[in-house]
Amino acid sequence: MTIHAHPTAEVRTTCPYCGVGCGILARSAAEGVAISGDPDHPANFGRLCSKGSALGETLGLEGRLLYPMLRGARGEFTRASWDTALDTVAGCLQRIAKRDGPDSIAFYLSGQLLTEDYYVANKLMKGFIGSANVDTNSRLCMASAVAGHRRAFGADLVPGTYEDIDEADLIVLAGSNAAWCHPILFQRMVKNKRDRGAKIVVIDPRFTATAEEADLFLSMAPGQDTTLFCGLLVHLSDSGTLDRAYIEAHTQGFESALSRARTIAPDIASTASATGLARSDVARFFDLFCATKRVVTCFSQGVNQSAQGTDKVNAIINCHLATARIGKPGCGPFSLTGQPNAMGGREVGGLANQLAAHMSFVPKDVDRVRRFWRAPHMATREGLKAVQMFEAIERGEIKALWVMATNPAVSLPHAAAMREAMKKLELFVISENVASTDTLNTGAHVLLPAAAWGERDGTTTNSERRISRQRSFLPMPGEAKPDWWIVSEVARRMGFESEFSYRSAMDIFREHAALSGFENHGTRGFDISGLANISHDEYERLAPVQWPARAKETRKEQRFFANGGFFTSNRKAQFVAPDHPALKGATSSEFPYRLNTGRIRDQWHGMARSGRSPRLALHFPEPFVEIHPGDAMDAGVNDSEFARVTTQYGSCVLKVMTSERQRKGSLFAPIHWSAENSSSACIGDSVAPYTDCHSGQPELKATPAAIASVAFASRGFILARRPIVLSDAAWWTRTAIAGGFGYLLATNESCAAWRDFARRLFGGDAELAEYADDLRGIYRAAAFLDGHLDFCLFVDPAGTPPRWDAAKALFAAESLETLQRRRLLSGHASAELIDPGPVICACFGIGLAAIREAIASRTASNVEEIGKALRAGTNCGSCMPELKGILADVQITTNASLPA
């Protein structure tokens, strides 16, 4: 890995992954950049998850976009100067806006951007181009939470803090696999359970790693969150647990919401029937909620990513409002933000139905922002939300699109149709830090090299409203520039020089802070005007700060709404009567299953960053579909073989993983694979484009689907120093390994075809060694160059796929002895290597085999002893639930084998 420079001193910055917002220390080390948790940051107190711990492995320049590029007449990209690229973008935007109107232009942003980047992009689009067609990939993860907050509270804000999770006596996790998706925050929950005796309830169709820690697990039928929480509201009323004084003083609409809840879930029995839960489990959950004063309900994508996500959010909030369990220590509904700066983007109006500083498209807010910005073309109505935006591109209504720091060709529902739509654009601009993505390869016209994490400077806001500095500790390579600079330069070329004359991210932050307090007078919850006049040095030293941070106010307000004070017109919270729950797409004999999508523990989004780390690739190196063993038997698919998952919208081929943890009737597939790293695994192609009517968020968890076996004659792997192009006839997936790239294969091609492939690839200076047994269907090849292994290909019968552990170890070596070279292709080297099994602890690379051996040999009889013996689970703790499951499994097996 080539790193362009090392930090000259220890730098405090913030993690670029999930919304927990962990603080990081980056410092120079012999191998490049050493990453550790910041012990003084209040989000993580020094702990980092596997992804954060591996950030130092992701800083190489391989695959970076380093210079502006323009597409030529024959489709090729050529390097251009910044002046040429920026003039091209500005000129095309002006021409299209003049000819077709401002609504023919759209920006699509990302929760990966810094607040300052977000602010400038929104200002240009909504205030100066004159359209609100600027949306963000946060629409795919947080929009239902935003809409639910705004309906109930009159503002998009999370009432509580992380300290509430530490102080709660009951933690309810709804649609959240926090153990994998928010691991550092989840470890705070586990610590609360261990130290204070807090109870944890997990509500999820799948038995996830999070459920390992649950005192009560509710394997609920897909889409029934609203039913469950409506049933809870009815039970709270019938059991006398309501806080009538709070309801009367600080809320409105309670009777209407309760009446609707009674029609949806009138009692425990009907709630259990509709949700597919045991009556006793529903009763236990309701009783726990009633009996526990301090309750925090954490919800995430399992709630949000739904065509009725907003109603689900409000059904949860209704229960907290009805019991006044909001705004107090250890209480409240808590939205777990998906991306590192989804909340910061919302602060500056990153969604198409928002204006900056938590204002909306009502005349007084439009006028207020117009005056503050001195905006000549202020947008006066909401723009198109993400899915609708790309549908407008398909219809030809949007002619120009600027995508920043995201990959909609993979992440959007019905992604294949979205890729086709983008090919119609007259102007397609991409600001990126990687040189190849599915979106970029869809037909971009202009590529603008953006600064990456470690190089850029600004702020982010985490799930508890805490603003942290993301500081640069590396110089920008090539001609890369910050996103705010790129947008500002385009704006200046469009004639708005004085309004975009920023010299640094600090200038933008101060303007953003000033707008938050402009004509606010306590009417808007988001207010950081106390930071509007900070000096350069104060901005550089800015410690994590939670909003609100109002000017001339010394009182620190950590929580909202304990005593009312909502941001509605009458300052009262609004109870919401939700619609009756009903999934949009019905299953059928053709599509009998529900396709659920989500994340895995050690990867992030499309793996543009996390996929660079060899250790993060060890946990799940292949794209897979998880299915219940009973369903697998019915469908005729087998564990560790392959299957095609098909919906009305698309299909993909995935490795089968059978698991009792998967709910019957449901399939689960991760979102991380794309055409960049696999041949047939972009799950977004198969997801229905249904959206929530309030939030516009797509339903990514419940598309009707079918599954069928796919047979391959052979399986194998390739190890290579450089990316290679494989035949369309082969199923493959690419992963990072030490020293290069690993490809896992499944194929029906003959050994002769693979022999021709190896010889074409290495017919030059390398020494090619081969082993072939055509009768048994075996072909192996290795190319040696300058004493080291440069390339390795193994193809064996599908029933006995080759292991690649020994070959990877030799591939990582600087040079090989003659005996090692001879034994490589014979298979003896692999046979002598103990198979480590799937990596359970990514922080220390500890595999399943070592953990099982430590337990079986009595070296470790509990999780703490596993940590002492192997270090597994002692860093971030995200593997702790899996360790507990392995421990229980091995102990059951060992006890069963003992003589009676």
Side-chain angles (χ1 to χ4, degrees):
M1 178 177 67
T2 304
I3 297 178
H4 38 297
H6 293 185
T8 56
E10 187 173 77
V11 176
R12 278 188 156 85
T13 186
T14 309
C15 182
Y17 290 122
C18 78
V20 175
C22 295
I24 281 177
L25 299 178
R27 63 185 184 281
S28 180
E31 67 277 11
V33 178
I35 298 293
S36 60
D38 182 352
D40 296 327
H41 198 290
N44 60 316
F45 299 108
R47 303 191 77 168
L48 289 179
C49 75
S50 58
K51 294 184 290 293
S53 298
L55 276 166
E57 300 174 25
T58 71
L59 300 174
L61 293 182
E62 296 83 0
R64 280 293 297 272
L65 178 64
L66 297 174
Y67 305 99
M69 308 288 282
L70 298 181
R71 190 181 292 278
R74 290 179 294 180
E76 78 289 355
F77 277 113
T78 58
R79 181 174 167 181
S81 69
W82 267 113
D83 280 338
T84 299
L86 294 167
D87 286 345
T88 297
V89 174
C92 287
L93 290 176
Q94 285 179 306
R95 184 183 71 252
I96 292 169
K98 182 177 181 180
R99 184 192 68 202
D100 300 308
D103 286 337
S104 64
I105 298 170
F107 289 179
Y108 190 65
L109 312 180
S110 167
Q112 303 289 299
L113 292 171
L114 301 184
T115 301
E116 292 78 4
D117 304 323
Y118 250 129
Y119 180 88
V120 175
N122 274 277
K123 181 179 178 180
L124 172 59
M125 190 65 177
K126 291 175 179 170
F128 292 79
I129 292 176
S131 171
N133 286 342
V134 50
D135 213 49
T136 162
N137 62 12
S138 297
R139 179 72 61 189
L140 309 184
C141 65
M142 299 311 301
S144 294
V146 173
H149 291 156
R150 292 175 74 176
R151 288 206 295 180
F153 308 146
D156 169 28
L157 56 82
V158 174
T161 72
Y162 290 167
E163 288 180 356
D164 294 325
I165 292 172
D166 300 334
E167 298 173 19
D169 295 316
L170 174 63
I171 300 169
V172 181
L173 285 151
S176 169
N177 186 10
W180 280 11
C181 299
H182 299 93
I184 298 305
L185 195 56
F186 183 67
Q187 287 308 308
R188 291 177 71 158
M189 301 177 196
V190 173
K191 184 177 187 300
N192 183 1
K193 176 182 177 179
R194 183 179 64 244
D195 295 351
R196 298 183 60 258
K199 301 292 185 184
I200 296 177
V201 175
V202 173
I203 305 165
D204 200 305
R206 300 168 62 222
F207 190 91
T208 63
T210 303
E212 293 280 3
E213 291 288 351
D215 297 281
L216 175 62
F217 171 61
L218 301 177
S219 179
M220 190 172 60
Q224 292 299 319
D225 307 75
T226 298
T227 302
L228 183 65
F229 284 95
C230 280
L232 175 58
L233 184 65
V234 170
H235 189 76
L236 291 168
S237 176
D238 293 348
S239 63
T241 315
L242 301 176
D243 189 321
R244 289 286 182 182
Y246 187 91
I247 293 171
E248 180 64 27
H250 303 302
T251 75
Q252 62 183 15
F254 172 74
E255 293 302 332
S256 175
L258 179 60
S259 176
R260 178 65 55 80
R262 289 194 186 279
T263 68
I264 293 171
D267 52 39
I268 289 175
S270 60
T271 303
S273 176
T275 57
L277 297 170
R279 188 185 186 285
S280 58
D281 286 343
V282 173
R284 186 180 172 201
F285 170 49
F286 288 1
D287 288 344
L288 273 172
F289 200 102
C290 288
T292 311
K293 293 291 186 183
R294 294 190 171 198
V295 183
V296 171
T297 303
C298 299
F299 59 93
S300 194
Q301 308 317 337
V303 168
N304 294 332
Q305 290 177 335
S306 165
Q308 292 186 309
T310 307
D311 276 353
K312 294 178 181 180
V313 170
N314 284 115
I316 291 169
I317 292 173
N318 284 348
C319 296
H320 281 271
L321 290 174
T323 54
R325 291 169 186 172
I326 189 166
K328 301 170 184 175
C331 292
F334 205 113
S335 166
L336 298 182
T337 312
Q339 295 189 80
N341 202 31
M343 187 172 283
R346 286 140 57 189
E347 292 165 4
V348 301
L351 296 168
N353 53 330
Q354 294 178 326
L355 284 176
H358 282 202
M359 286 181 270
S360 58
F361 284 94
V362 296
K364 63 179 181 180
D365 284 353
V366 171
D367 179 64
R368 183 180 295 117
V369 178
R370 176 194 286 117
R371 287 185 286 108
F372 183 88
W373 278 346
R374 298 188 300 276
H377 308 296
M378 191 70 200
T380 58
R381 64 180 186 274
E382 295 182 0
L384 294 173
K385 302 177 180 73
V387 174
Q388 289 71 34
M389 178 187 291
F390 283 85
E391 290 172 344
I393 294 170
E394 185 176 29
R395 293 191 300 270
E397 296 167 8
I398 290 176
K399 313 287 187 181
L401 175 68
W402 190 347
V403 174
M404 303 179 198
T406 188
N407 194 6
V410 174
S411 57
L412 285 168
H414 202 189
M418 302 304 180
R419 291 194 293 274
E420 288 303 309
M422 285 184 272
K423 294 177 182 178
K424 299 179 179 181
L425 287 161
E426 183 177 332
L427 174 67
F428 189 5
V429 183
I430 293 180
S431 300
E432 255 295 356
N433 55 56
V434 293
S436 182
T437 69
D438 289 42
T439 301
L440 185 154
N441 295 329
T442 296
H445 303 120
V446 184
L447 306 182
L448 305 175
W453 182 81
E455 303 154 8
R456 57 189 186 175
D457 190 81
T459 59
T460 63
T461 307
N462 73 357
S463 291
E464 63 164 351
R465 298 175 276 107
R466 193 176 299 278
I467 299 168
S468 295
R469 289 278 278 111
Q470 197 176 101
R471 297 178 174 89
S472 62
F473 54 87
L474 297 172
M476 285 175 276
E479 294 180 5
K481 297 290 185 180
D483 287 282
W484 66 261
W485 182 91
I486 298 171
V487 177
S488 296
E489 285 297 314
V490 168
R492 289 157 67 94
R493 285 164 167 79
M494 294 180 74
F496 311 123
E497 184 168 355
S498 62
E499 293 86 357
F500 290 85
S501 58
Y502 306 113
R503 295 166 298 173
S504 68
M506 181 203 68
D507 291 343
I508 303 164
F509 180 82
R510 297 205 307 182
E511 181 177 310
H512 162 54
L515 176 56
S516 75
F518 182 60
E519 297 178 356
N520 190 330
H521 312 302
T523 58
R524 304 191 301 275
F526 175 68
D527 187 342
I528 56 169
S529 55
L531 303 173
N533 295 311
I534 61 174
S535 67
H536 177 272
D537 287 345
E538 288 170 331
Y539 181 75
E540 288 301 305
R541 297 194 308 268
L542 185 66
V545 57
Q546 198 168 37
W547 61 262
R550 301 183 179 92
K552 300 178 181 178
E553 186 171 291
T554 58
R555 181 173 64 90
K556 185 179 180 182
E557 187 175 1
Q558 283 190 304
R559 300 176 179 87
F560 285 95
F561 312 143
N563 299 304
F566 295 90
F567 296 98
T568 55
S569 58
N570 63 3
R571 307 294 282 182
K572 290 189 174 186
Q574 178 67 54
F575 279 93
V576 174
D579 290 337
H580 285 259
L583 291 170
K584 282 287 185 75
T587 56
S588 63
S589 58
E590 185 180 6
F591 300 115
Y593 301 99
R594 292 280 180 192
L595 174 61
N596 180 11
T597 68
R599 296 175 182 163
I600 57 175
R601 190 188 70 190
D602 295 339
Q603 295 296 349
W604 178 257
H605 286 196
M607 297 195 275
R609 180 186 294 112
S610 61
R612 293 170 173 265
S613 166
R615 62 170 146 150
L616 294 182
L618 296 173
H619 193 222
F620 286 114
E622 297 164 293
F624 65 90
V625 56
E626 188 176 87
I627 183 171
H628 189 277
D631 287 338
M633 183 176 295
D634 292 342
V637 300
N638 296 316
D639 187 64
S640 299
E641 295 182 2
F642 292 84
R644 184 178 302 278
V645 175
T646 305
T647 73
Q648 177 184 341
Y649 305 93
S651 68
C652 54
V653 177
L654 306 169
K655 189 174 179 181
V656 175
M657 181 183 298
T658 61
S659 174
E660 296 279 356
R661 295 166 174 254
Q662 180 64 40
R663 183 184 176 87
K664 290 201 73 175
S666 294
L667 309 174
F668 172 79
I671 62 172
H672 309 291
W673 281 271
S674 68
E676 282 294 297
N677 50 40
S678 61
S679 59
S680 180
C682 179
I683 200 64
D685 288 359
S686 302
V687 173
Y690 307 134
T691 58
D692 182 296
C693 64
H694 302 288
S695 70
Q697 183 154 359
E699 186 161 76
L700 304 181
K701 304 284 188 184
T703 303
I707 186 169
S709 178
V710 174
F712 290 106
S714 306
R715 288 173 61 182
F717 64 82
I718 292 173
L719 310 180
R721 298 291 170 186
R722 297 159 294 282
I724 58 175
V725 178
L726 291 166
S727 163
D728 291 339
W731 180 96
W732 59 268
T733 183
R734 188 183 72 209
T735 185
I737 62 171
F741 303 89
Y743 294 79
L744 291 165
L745 311 170
T747 178
N748 288 316
E749 293 186 286
S750 67
C751 290
W754 287 107
R755 183 185 300 114
D756 291 344
F757 170 79
R759 291 177 178 178
R760 285 196 308 272
L761 202 60
F762 288 94
D765 297 331
E767 176 190 349
L768 186 65
E770 297 176 284
Y771 171 83
D773 187 335
D774 290 346
L775 289 177
R776 295 171 58 201
I778 298 173
Y779 176 74
R780 298 169 184 172
F784 301 96
L785 189 65
D786 297 329
H788 67 262
L789 179 60
D790 197 62
F791 168 85
C792 182
L793 165 64
F794 274 48
V795 177
D796 282 18
T800 56
R803 298 202 316 264
W804 66 354
D805 305 290
K808 284 200 296 182
L810 296 178
F811 189 80
E814 291 185 5
S815 62
L816 301 183
E817 298 175 358
T818 302
L819 182 60
Q820 290 175 307
R821 294 171 59 170
R822 289 176 178 170
R823 293 168 70 88
L824 172 62
L825 298 186
S826 71
H828 291 303
S830 180
E832 291 172 2
L833 187 76
I834 297 175
D835 184 359
V839 167
I840 303 301
C841 176
C843 296
F844 299 113
I846 310 300
L848 175 62
I851 296 166
R852 293 181 69 91
E853 171 60 25
I855 300 167
S857 67
R858 314 283 184 178
T859 302
S861 60
N862 55 49
V863 171
E864 289 72 24
E865 289 177 359
I866 292 173
K868 289 178 182 177
L870 303 172
R871 296 197 295 172
T874 60
N875 183 40
C876 73
S878 60
C879 64
M880 293 284 277
E882 288 170 275
L883 294 179
K884 291 183 178 181
I886 296 164
L887 187 71
D889 179 60
V890 174
Q891 288 175 340
I892 290 170
T893 304
T894 302
N895 292 336
S897 65
L898 295 175

